Amino acid sequence: MKIYLAGPDVFLPDAIEIGRQKAAICAAHGLTGLYPLDNIVDLTAPDASRQIFCGNEAMMDEADAIIANLTPFRGAGADPGTVYELGYMAGRRKFCLAYCNDGAAYADRVGRFMAVTSEDGRLVDALGLTIEDFGLVDNLMMIHALELHGCPLVTPAEQPVDLWHDLAAFETCVRMAAARLIAT
Amino acid sequence: MKIYLAGPDVFLPDAIEIGRQKAAICAAHGLTGLYPLDNIVDLTAPDASRQIFCGNEAMMDEADAIIANLTPFRGAGADPGTVYELGYMAGRRKFCLAYCNDGAAYADRVGRFMAVTSEDGRLVDALGLTIEDFGLVDNLMMIHALELHGCPLVTPAEQPVDLWHDLAAFETCVRMAAARLIAT
């Protein structure tokens, strides 16, 4: 059974090593991890970004499931590139799993970046835009997609010291994927 | 033909009015706009967020196409909730369109929020995470998904004064959708 390994992990300085570790955890549970950087792309080609897209989409189409890293990326919420992939896999009716190494509620996270105020009963950000305030860890579309198209989002009981390298919550996802995919 | 109207527009103070304007533009081009806030949800119910999700997913399943507003939201990139929906619709093989009222390259936008430096040939953010640097307006997954599953992202020739209320780029998407969907 093949799992697409989505996440902003590909932007880490040690992106290749993290992919190797994730694939090894998958293998230990009888699964095959497919990591975007496994695709060979000539980064100097004029269509490099399109080659990356096509490689990722082919991997997703080949995979039975996705494990997405929704740890906040450059702001209060998950990496949009990763979220696109989660949506794509839900649309393809693949099995959807994800983890987030920051278990804080989304509304609290927004407060780390800007003033959050209350206006006519709505929680609003510095620009007056409503902040989703359902006590969820991120936008409700991802949170409920996981519940309804796979397994609920995994967050660590305690926030890890290294948000980007701690793979305990990832391994929980792998275990859940193995229980589901190998049984069926 | 039905178009799902995705975007952080639902977080604007005048969210309902924007939805009404978008639906009117669709109607003027012979299309039916489906706007998330058209769903009736009891926001005091304990499962309100799940009701919203289910309503949105049902609307997406009913729609023939999506027009997503990818204008940067609370940071350098698009709203993850909207991007989830774009991915979902691409996965369902629906016709995908989107616009972004900020035509700046993603890497330039990141520079508005934090120091951007160059490290071993990679452009990196304040945390040392690689910044995608293909000259694209947002993450390559969304940009190429649009090219390959619908129409290329629409950006305005000149940045509108009011990023959240200018609907010229939106109307361009509607026109493209009408040309494609009504012809087939």
Side-chain angles (χ1 to χ4, degrees):
Chain A
M1 293 289 180
K2 294 174 181 166
I3 315 281
Y4 183 72
L5 305 174
D9 310 57
V10 296
F11 301 125
L12 291 171
D14 53 349
I16 291 174
E17 174 54 24
I18 288 283
R20 215 187 323 255
Q21 289 176 22
K22 285 188 160 182
I25 292 171
C26 288
H29 292 272
L31 299 168
T32 303
L34 304 179
Y35 189 60
L37 298 186
D38 295 344
N39 289 315
I40 308 297
V41 172
D42 173 6
L43 289 174
T44 63
D47 67 340
S49 65
R50 192 176 161 131
Q51 284 185 41
I52 295 173
F53 173 87
C54 291
N56 292 355
E57 189 173 273
M59 268 188 174
M60 290 194 282
D61 287 340
E62 187 188 343
D64 305 287
I66 181 173
I67 298 179
N69 178 359
L70 300 185
T71 303
F73 176 74
R74 263 174 221 147
D79 166 43
T82 301
V83 168
Y84 171 86
E85 297 177 331
L86 179 63
Y88 182 83
M89 292 296 268
R92 300 307 300 148
R93 302 297 185 232
K94 305 291 179 93
F95 194 62
C96 295
L97 305 105
Y99 67 100
C100 176
N101 273 343
D102 180 342
Y106 177 75
D108 294 334
R109 285 197 210 138
V110 174
R112 297 177 194 162
F113 296 93
M114 57 178 84
V116 170
T117 52
S118 193
E119 207 170 87
D120 304 327
R122 293 184 308 135
L123 210 58
V124 298
D125 69 11
L127 293 174
L129 294 165
T130 303
I131 298 170
E132 255 196 38
D133 188 24
F134 294 110
L136 303 175
V137 167
D138 210 321
N139 186 290
L140 66 90
M141 291 308 295
M142 287 88 87
I143 301 302
H144 293 299
L146 291 163
E147 275 172 27
L148 296 167
H149 296 295
C151 291
L153 181 72
V154 174
T155 53
E158 204 170 313
Q159 189 162 313
V161 176
D162 187 338
L163 284 187
W164 292 114
H165 294 89
D166 190 295
L167 295 178
F170 170 77
E171 187 155 13
T172 302
C173 290
V174 174
R175 224 176 281 122
M176 296 192 306
R180 173 68 169 256
L181 296 175
I182 296 174
T184 55
Chain B
M1 292 290 180
K2 294 175 182 166
I3 314 281
Y4 182 73
L5 305 175
D9 310 57
V10 296
F11 302 125
L12 291 171
D14 54 349
I16 290 175
E17 174 54 23
I18 288 283
R20 216 185 323 255
Q21 289 175 21
K22 285 188 160 183
I25 292 170
C26 288
H29 291 272
L31 298 168
T32 304
L34 303 178
Y35 189 60
L37 298 185
D38 296 343
N39 288 313
I40 308 296
V41 171
D42 174 6
L43 288 173
T44 64
D47 67 339
S49 65
R50 192 176 161 127
Q51 284 185 42
I52 296 172
F53 174 87
C54 291
N56 292 355
E57 190 173 272
M59 267 188 175
M60 289 194 283
D61 288 339
E62 188 188 342
D64 304 287
I66 182 173
I67 298 179
N69 178 358
L70 300 185
T71 302
F73 177 74
R74 261 173 222 147
D79 166 43
T82 302
V83 169
Y84 171 85
E85 296 177 331
L86 179 63
Y88 182 82
M89 292 296 268
R92 301 305 301 148
R93 301 296 185 234
K94 305 292 179 89
F95 194 62
C96 295
L97 306 105
Y99 68 99
C100 178
N101 273 342
D102 180 342
Y106 178 75
D108 293 334
R109 284 196 209 139
V110 174
R112 296 176 193 162
F113 296 94
M114 56 177 85
V116 170
T117 52
S118 193
E119 207 170 87
D120 304 327
R122 293 183 309 135
L123 210 58
V124 298
D125 69 11
L127 293 173
L129 295 164
T130 303
I131 298 170
E132 257 195 36
D133 188 23
F134 294 109
L136 303 175
V137 167
D138 209 322
N139 186 290
L140 67 90
M141 292 307 296
M142 287 89 86
I143 302 303
H144 294 298
L146 290 163
E147 275 172 27
L148 295 167
H149 296 295
C151 291
L153 181 72
V154 174
T155 53
E158 204 169 314
Q159 188 163 313
V161 176
D162 187 337
L163 283 188
W164 293 114
H165 294 90
D166 190 294
L167 295 178
F170 170 77
E171 187 155 13
T172 302
C173 290
V174 173
R175 224 175 283 122
M176 295 192 306
R180 173 69 168 254
L181 297 174
I182 296 174
T184 55

